Amino acid sequence: MGGFDGHPGTAKLAAVLSQRMKKEKESPLVLDFGEILANYSLVTNTFPVPIPKGDYSVCRHLTIGHADGRLTITADDGRHDEHVSGDGIHSHIVLIPEKMRSVGPGDRVLVAWVHYEAVVIDIIEKS
């Protein structure tokens, strides 16, 4: 005899919970919305506890620029062979368009949950 014999409501609840746990296990990727807080921690709709910076991942394209908001990067290793003197190696300051800036405080973001890790995919803007 099973532990739920004679308790049809409990047996039904156990079956529903078992099916739901199997379904959750089969789909480890879930999309979510979140926000980057002032200290760069991440809070998402489904996990409202702040995840400290360094404990979540960010897609590479959202790491361009500077934490202080400057929209420039330095491109090194430029080489022009037509220089009369020197080896032609130099660098340029490149302006980054606002839409390509690094993720920062106050940004609403799209988050993918990969198993138990949050990955910030992109910044979400109003239409």
Side-chain angles (χ1 to χ4, degrees):
M1 289 196 129
F4 297 125
D5 291 343
H7 298 72
T10 305
K12 187 174 182 176
L13 175 61
V16 168
L17 290 174
S18 176
Q19 285 178 325
R20 185 160 186 155
M21 287 187 296
K22 286 179 187 175
K23 184 178 177 183
E24 290 294 322
K25 187 176 179 182
E26 292 171 2
S27 59
L29 176 67
V30 177
L31 294 178
D32 198 356
F33 288 114
E35 182 178 347
I36 304 297
L37 302 180
N39 64 358
Y40 285 84
S41 60
L42 169 67
V43 173
T44 71
N45 290 351
T46 60
F47 191 76
V49 176
I51 303 167
K53 182 179 179 180
D55 287 351
Y56 62 91
S57 296
V58 179
C59 283
R60 179 180 56 191
H61 71 278
L62 289 176
T63 62
I64 298 173
H66 304 275
D68 64 7
R70 289 181 289 141
L71 295 174
T72 60
I73 59 172
T74 302
D76 293 322
D77 297 328
R79 181 179 289 261
H80 297 288
D81 293 333
E82 59 272 354
H83 284 263
V84 178
S85 63
D87 59 10
I89 294 176
H90 62 282
S91 64
H92 292 277
I93 300 296
V94 179
L95 180 63
I96 302 169
E98 167 65 22
K99 291 203 179 257
M100 292 179 63
R101 68 173 172 77
S102 182
V103 67
D107 285 338
R108 183 170 160 82
V109 294
L110 177 65
V111 176
W113 286 97
V114 182
H115 298 283
Y116 297 106
E117 182 177 357
V119 180
V120 175
I121 303 297
D122 208 348
I123 299 170
I124 302 299
E125 296 180 351
K126 293 285 186 187
S127 60

